[in-house]
Amino acid sequence: MVVATQSLEELCINSIRFLAIDAVEKAKSGHPGLPMGAAPMAFVLWDKFMRFNPKNPKWFNRDRFILSAGHGCMLQYALLYLTGYDSVTIEDIKQFRQWGSKTPGHPENFETEGVEVTTGPLGQGIANGVGLALAEAHLAAKFNKSDATIVDHYTYVILGDGCNMEGVAGEACSIAGHWGLGKLIALYDDNHISIDGSTDVAFTEDVSKRFEAYGWHVLHVENGNTDLAAIAKAIEEAKAVTDKPSMIKVTTTIGYGSPNKQNTAGVHGAALGADEVALTRHNLGWQHEPFDIPQDVLGHMNKAIDRGSSYEAEWNQAFAAYKAKYPAEAAEFERYLSNKLPDGWDKVLPTFTPEDKGIPTRKHSEVCLNKLAPILPELIGGSADLTHSNLTEIKISGDFQKGHYENRNVHFGVREHAMGAICNGMALHGSGLIPYGATFLIFTDYMRAAIRLSALSQAGSIWVMTHDSIGQGEDGPTHQPIETLASLRAIPDLTVIRPADGNECSGAYKVAIEKAKQHAPTLLAFTRQNVPNLAGTSIEGVAKGAYAIVDCQGTPDIILIGTGSEVSLCVEAAAKLTSEGKKVRVVSMPSWELFEAQDAAYKESVLPKAVTKRLSVEAGSSFGWAKYVGFGGDSVSIDRFGASAPGGTCMEKFGFSVDNVLAKAKALLG
Amino acid sequence: MVVATQSLEELCINSIRFLAIDAVEKAKSGHPGLPMGAAPMAFVLWDKFMRFNPKNPKWFNRDRFILSAGHGCMLQYALLYLTGYDSVTIEDIKQFRQWGSKTPGHPENFETEGVEVTTGPLGQGIANGVGLALAEAHLAAKFNKSDATIVDHYTYVILGDGCNMEGVAGEACSIAGHWGLGKLIALYDDNHISIDGSTDVAFTEDVSKRFEAYGWHVLHVENGNTDLAAIAKAIEEAKAVTDKPSMIKVTTTIGYGSPNKQNTAGVHGAALGADEVALTRHNLGWQHEPFDIPQDVLGHMNKAIDRGSSYEAEWNQAFAAYKAKYPAEAAEFERYLSNKLPDGWDKVLPTFTPEDKGIPTRKHSEVCLNKLAPILPELIGGSADLTHSNLTEIKISGDFQKGHYENRNVHFGVREHAMGAICNGMALHGSGLIPYGATFLIFTDYMRAAIRLSALSQAGSIWVMTHDSIGQGEDGPTHQPIETLASLRAIPDLTVIRPADGNECSGAYKVAIEKAKQHAPTLLAFTRQNVPNLAGTSIEGVAKGAYAIVDCQGTPDIILIGTGSEVSLCVEAAAKLTSEGKKVRVVSMPSWELFEAQDAAYKESVLPKAVTKRLSVEAGSSFGWAKYVGFGGDSVSIDRFGASAPGGTCMEKFGFSVDNVLAKAKALLG
């Protein structure tokens, strides 16, 4: 296959290939196979179709690109470099996978401008892509006018066999088909190789037929290695079908061009080795040194800069016209993009006194969501088929459905994992949307990878989780969270809030909305069952993570630390202990992370070192509580799986009663 | 639809319906809709096809039944009661969803004999079913002879729309199609209703076509409400196709018979209410009081007892003949079923001295697996497409594939979640198999629901997790576990072991295999990178969870507590501190759970209360470590996301160096 003379297009494609080959070789680590095989489709897509502005990677109306097969990230870095992004220079490429580089081992949106979302954990990228396409459809429906279009872009995804085996991808593509997101175009790099070898060992399903079953428009490029015209034709056809997402199966050869390693798992995730690199150079007729890209190639690929500048200028003009005609809508659109909250938005959040009737915190959540919905039209989301249990419906809106993309109630179906990744996609659309996703707290286990990625990739998603303890009741141990709060608190950069009552629910939403705008996710845990409104709770208290709601003169004999539905037990126990002459403080601690963010003086003021008798009360695992109660303290907790019985019975039987809190407190007091 | 006279079959079906209706009504909690709609298919299946012995629910060669739509559990309890199982009496049914009952809110194999696996979290059951079918195929291929069949049963699953939306179900069904598991038959209760209402709101894909794409044999019963003959014919046809799993879409009406609530979400998850129950009684012509079942029905359904007794007697005869002809195989088969380990099995586990070359613990894991494989032929499993990274191949075996079910290397594909649930299914087959599933430690996030269920449902799966820290290196933060160990340690009844070297890897496998036979799962965390073999480590030490491997005379000034790859840092730091005159103990703590299971005296001997200067060293989150280091101690830990760089660089930069351990220790020593 020695190539004597190469067309400019071939040179461009080989440039991508050799940037990947040589960067991986230098790092002695990485995945050359995908970039080598997918370079043709990526080149055609970026050169002939994608609308973006390298000099303003955040230009709103750009087409979004996601490399769902994130291990092939050198493909994306090569494209960013060649098309003139400032974020990836040739020096950055030489630093591939090194400490502090802009070219980490998988694409990370928070490290590298031009990368839209963080991929690597397989299947997430395509599901994020559904979220981006949802965001586009929603904003287009909301803002575009019959005579003025300001939201109009495609979302392109390259995914591989690995992504297509993951359940999260199946979930996301099923719902994308249901929604008919016509501007979502996925290119499936069908190379028949995964890490264990040929996909014959584990993946012989008919992927195209499956996507047809999902309601997608499905195409096939039989020779994705060299038939650039066929790739272009397929993308054209995909764009022309506007009522369905399109999946283009592009059959390629992994590691294309490597005479001994192409079409083997050996080229997937390891450097080729010097000998094979030399053979590949020879085979592909590539006479350039590592990291030396022909000027013709740079000259051609850099045309993206002028093109991008024109695209943006055109759009700016269109937006100016829109603004002239529709000033109110334009102002709102600009507020969305500025990511700013409207003045006084938080004034709508209700407050309560102990005289107000106790209701479940999930109902407080419903009230907060519905108070916020009118003033924050950017709030959009829903539940994984538990809308009327999670109480997450926005009552002033209809359902987000095909033909009704302007609506804000999203039915994700029983697809928790895809819900998570789709919300992350919406958040990372960069248009100010505040997505929320809801299910039972226990089912965060199904979507944990997406929750983690919300924290890692700075996606300001809000996770609304109800039925937050054994108080869930009759559904039993499969549905009752025990270790769940601990497992979520352990995730870096995720704020977990478990409010005790109405005031704290308002405080929780205040924090969550603000954090969303700061690109940080929040997980809210709400009860199924009634809780009383307590004296001393406050919106401001929640913001500090922990605060005293019952206190004594001088140094307390004991501090009772409660969260959520168990704070009221602490208050009742404290009253009893006080009546018996003990000095008692009750600390409501809705959020560990918010408390840890306070200064040392505040922390000492709430939990003074001098007080070693501390009792935590939370209807969940004691795991982690030693940090606050120490060797001198104790926990009222449940460290086994729950049981099926009415919620009140479960609480009582497992020791979440005033009597048991009292007994444990007295044991500590000695 | 008032029914004047009813056939015996109709009476049986209505008995199932009203047991469900009345039990939910009495509990004022539960899901009547599915049992009412699926009663006909369940009746036909249990009455005409299923081979089981109510008086010996554990009879080996029984057909397995899984209600993947576990919320409909009253269906299963009704069947168990009517067919004569002792585990569910009419009194048990009256106690539906009450504290301590045998009839919890979802089917729990550990509570109710006759229930094979624990369902409720949607999609798990069908994936467990793939595991049961895999186990059957494997054992049949291994033990059956051309003239003697002792393993020969079907696995039947009823699943609903919810299951079919879940990614884990898609993953499992894709691989089941690949494997061609012909004795797996799924009945899809196609009732068009999920909790949010009509499936039209979120689930409009062509499910049958999707299963065809997976390579399944697909059938459709158009009238699953009353056409019993069509249901029976479909099951017959499904059984006749032996090289593909079969999916029978059975179109039904949820809540069939309830005049005002059938075919609505209102009947899915709540009691009908007294008025509607009365109307339903009238509508279905049911004149019996709650929990009063006609004698004709009991008489007919109880025939399962005699049938079952005959089935078992036939099988016992067949097995006796097999035993006479193939005594060695029969003995092995009996050992499998006895769940006993062969004598001396653990003697094959290697031990090491510090002179032995340091290698990654994942390589020690590979050695252990391959030492154990010959003596424990019941060990079967594999990786989610990372076989040669996880190093989980059994070298004396080929791959488990269609036509080669006797083999033990299972390629799960990039389907972590299904892998987890399939392993659980194998474990719960009750035939002594020890399943293992492997991926990178970080990707436990993808399969967490299955790991939790392994602990809850007493499935002795072994989770082999490699690349257990930022030492993973270049793949970066998406692939580097931080909070992962903490999040897994928090799960009740799961033993997590992170061995430090070769001896501890042997110790870890010894525990994991023993626990598997005691129906408890173990998660093993192994390094990607080299670790030295240490003095003082031992197989026995691992069994105790934590033990001193370096010690001093008298009370230590400080205790360094390490796990896994960081124990060697502690040893080096201790040597330095000792040379400076400090009294230092190093505790290797491969497993918190095993340590917690020791008596107080042992725990005090390892971590004496008198020593408050304690430093934990683990390349992961500090979350939870306060339990062992207290207010007086500290942790060398990483409480942020990692970074893409060579593993050694990551370790150094994030403070996992002898110097930093020394610095932190000295700070504590003051």
Side-chain angles (χ1 to χ4, degrees), chain A residues 67-324:
Chain A
L67 184 63
S68 191
H71 51 275
C73 56
M74 266 311 307
L75 178 77
Q76 191 163 8
Y77 301 144
L79 290 161
L80 292 171
Y81 163 62
L82 293 171
T83 55
Y85 281 78
D86 297 325
S87 51
V88 179
T89 66
I90 195 73
E91 293 307 315
D92 291 317
I93 288 179
K94 291 179 189 169
Q95 291 301 307
F96 180 53
R97 294 188 152 224
Q98 303 308 304
W99 182 263
S101 82
K102 289 281 159 209
T103 48
H106 290 85
E108 297 169 1
N109 59 302
F110 51 95
E111 288 290 354
T112 317
E113 270 209 312
V115 172
E116 303 286 354
V117 302
T118 294
T119 57
L122 293 170
Q124 298 291 330
I126 177 70
N128 294 157
V130 174
L132 293 178
L134 186 166
E136 195 270 349
H138 174 66
L139 296 168
K142 182 179 171 70
F143 288 106
N144 289 348
K145 304 288 181 184
S146 56
D147 62 348
T149 296
I150 57 168
V151 183
D152 179 20
H153 72 76
Y154 286 85
T155 299
Y156 296 103
V157 180
I158 293 183
L159 74 167
D161 290 302
C163 289
N164 266 331
M165 283 189 254
E166 289 286 5
V168 62
E171 290 177 9
C173 293
S174 172
I175 192 72
H178 170 78
W179 287 328
L181 295 172
K183 289 161 95 175
L184 173 63
I185 298 177
L187 293 95
Y188 163 35
D189 179 32
D190 168 46
N191 66 30
H192 296 101
I193 296 290
S194 68
I195 297 176
D196 275 9
S198 165
T199 50
D200 288 351
V201 303
F203 188 52
T204 48
E205 62 165 63
D206 183 338
V207 177
S208 294
K209 186 168 179 175
R210 173 158 62 90
F211 275 78
E212 284 169 10
Y214 292 147
W216 285 51
H217 168 228
V218 176
L219 297 154
H220 186 197
V221 174
E222 291 182 23
N223 170 8
N225 293 328
T226 59
D227 192 348
L228 306 187
I231 295 170
K233 182 161 171 287
I235 297 174
E236 288 287 8
E237 287 180 31
K239 289 180 69 174
V241 172
T242 57
D243 63 342
K244 293 176 176 187
S246 292
M247 193 278 273
I248 307 171
K249 177 164 106 165
V250 186
T251 300
T252 67
T253 302
I254 192 170
Y256 180 86
S258 162
N260 297 303
K261 294 195 170 178
Q262 70 178 8
N263 203 26
T264 73
V267 80
H268 167 87
L272 295 179
D275 291 352
E276 189 68 13
V277 170
L279 290 172
T280 306
R281 277 193 147 69
H282 179 72
N283 193 33
L284 291 177
W286 190 253
Q287 289 153 8
H288 309 275
E289 292 300 302
F291 311 110
D292 180 15
I293 299 300
Q295 276 308 320
D296 286 1
V297 169
L298 286 172
H300 177 76
M301 295 296 286
N302 269 210
K303 287 182 189 159
I305 297 171
D306 283 348
R307 277 202 310 271
S309 174
S310 302
Y311 293 146
E312 182 165 353
E314 275 169 42
W315 184 81
N316 287 338
Q317 213 164 6
F319 184 70
Y322 180 92
K323 195 169 178 172

Side-chain angles (χ1 to χ4, degrees), chain A residues 97 105-106 122 166-167 171 174 178 196 200-201 204-206 213 385 387 401 411 416 446 452 475 483, chain B residues 97 105-106 122 166-167 171 174 178 196 200-201 204-206 213 385 387 401 411 416 446 452 475 483 644:
Chain A
R97 294 188 152 224
H106 290 85
L122 293 170
E166 289 286 5
E171 290 177 9
S174 172
H178 170 78
D196 275 9
D200 288 351
V201 303
T204 48
E205 62 165 63
D206 183 338
D385 196 44
T387 302
Q401 295 287 1
H411 290 280
E416 298 83 6
Y446 272 66
R452 185 181 208 259
D475 279 346
E483 74 287 8
Chain B
R97 292 188 152 222
H106 290 84
L122 292 171
E166 289 285 6
E171 291 177 9
S174 173
H178 170 78
D196 275 8
D200 287 353
V201 304
T204 48
E205 61 165 64
D206 183 338
D385 197 45
T387 303
Q401 295 287 1
H411 290 280
E416 298 83 6
Y446 272 66
R452 184 183 210 259
D475 281 345
E483 74 287 9
S644 173

Side-chain angles (χ1 to χ4, degrees), chain A residues 438-453:
Chain A
T439 182
F440 289 160
L441 180 61
I442 189 70
F443 297 132
T444 54
D445 280 358
Y446 272 66
M447 55 184 293
R448 187 172 168 87
I451 294 174
R452 185 181 208 259
L453 276 165

Side-chain angles (χ1 to χ4, degrees), chain B residues 34 38 41 45 65-71 75 119 122-127 130 156-166 168-170 172-173 184-192 203 207 210-211 214 216 246-252:
Chain B
L34 182 133
M41 72 177 93
L45 178 63
F65 173 77
I66 295 178
L67 184 63
S68 191
H71 50 276
L75 178 76
T119 57
L122 292 171
Q124 298 290 332
I126 177 70
V130 175
Y156 295 102
V157 180
I158 292 181
L159 76 168
D161 290 303
C163 289
N164 265 332
M165 285 189 251
E166 289 285 6
V168 61
C173 293
L184 173 63
I185 298 177
L187 293 97
Y188 163 34
D189 179 31
D190 169 46
N191 66 31
H192 297 101
F203 188 53
V207 176
R210 173 157 62 90
F211 275 78
Y214 293 147
W216 285 51
S246 292
M247 193 276 273
I248 307 171
K249 178 164 106 166
V250 186
T251 299
T252 67

Side-chain angles (χ1 to χ4, degrees), chain B residues 13 18 61 132 143 148 216 222 253 261 292 317 326 338 382 399 439 494 512 518 536 572 613 653:
Chain B
I13 291 166
F18 280 94
N61 203 41
L132 292 178
F143 287 106
W216 285 51
E222 291 182 26
T253 302
K261 296 195 170 177
D292 179 15
Q317 213 166 5
Y326 305 103
S338 76
D399 289 348
T439 181
L494 175 70
Q518 294 154 16
E572 284 189 62
K613 294 177 181 185
K653 294 275 188 188

Side-chain angles (χ1 to χ4, degrees), chain B residues 352-544:
Chain B
F352 301 85
T353 70
E355 286 67 47
D356 290 310
K357 184 164 172 272
I359 57 174
T361 54
R362 64 177 166 140
K363 289 215 177 198
H364 285 298
S365 167
E366 181 182 40
V367 169
C368 287
L369 268 176
N370 279 283
K371 292 279 187 188
L372 291 169
I375 195 165
L376 296 179
E378 63 265 48
L379 199 55
I380 176 171
S383 164
D385 197 45
L386 289 168
T387 303
H388 302 294
S389 294
N390 301 140
L391 302 175
T392 45
E393 192 176 50
I394 292 176
K395 292 177 184 169
I396 57 167
S397 175
D399 289 348
F400 178 93
Q401 295 287 1
K402 195 168 181 170
H404 298 282
Y405 295 142
E406 70 283 5
N407 288 334
R408 295 153 64 192
N409 287 308
V410 182
H411 290 280
F412 293 100
V414 191
R415 303 182 183 97
E416 298 83 6
H417 200 170
M419 173 175 74
I422 291 169
C423 284
N424 292 344
M426 284 195 260
L428 295 174
H429 190 253
S431 47
L433 294 177
I434 305 177
Y436 65 93
T439 181
F440 289 160
L441 180 60
I442 190 69
F443 296 133
T444 54
D445 280 358
Y446 272 66
M447 57 186 289
R448 187 172 169 87
I451 294 175
R452 184 183 210 259
L453 276 166
S454 71
L456 175 60
S457 69
Q458 302 173 7
S461 304
I462 299 178
W463 310 117
V464 180
M465 298 295 156
T466 71
H467 297 60
D468 71 350
S469 77
I470 50 167
Q472 200 273 357
E474 291 92 344
D475 281 345
T478 54
H479 285 55
Q480 293 169 346
I482 300 293
E483 74 287 9
T484 319
L485 287 167
S487 80
L488 293 164
R489 286 172 180 147
I491 298 177
D493 300 340
L494 175 70
T495 300
V496 177
I497 311 180
R498 184 170 188 247
D501 68 356
N503 290 330
E504 289 199 355
C505 286
S506 289
Y509 270 97
K510 182 161 193 293
V511 170
I513 297 289
E514 286 169 349
K515 291 241 171 228
K517 290 293 182 179
Q518 294 154 16
H519 311 294
T522 305
L523 186 139
L524 307 174
F526 297 113
T527 68
R528 176 190 186 199
Q529 74 275 21
N530 283 344
V531 295
N533 285 297
L534 301 170
T537 55
S538 69
I539 291 176
E540 299 72 33
V542 172
K544 298 192 164 188

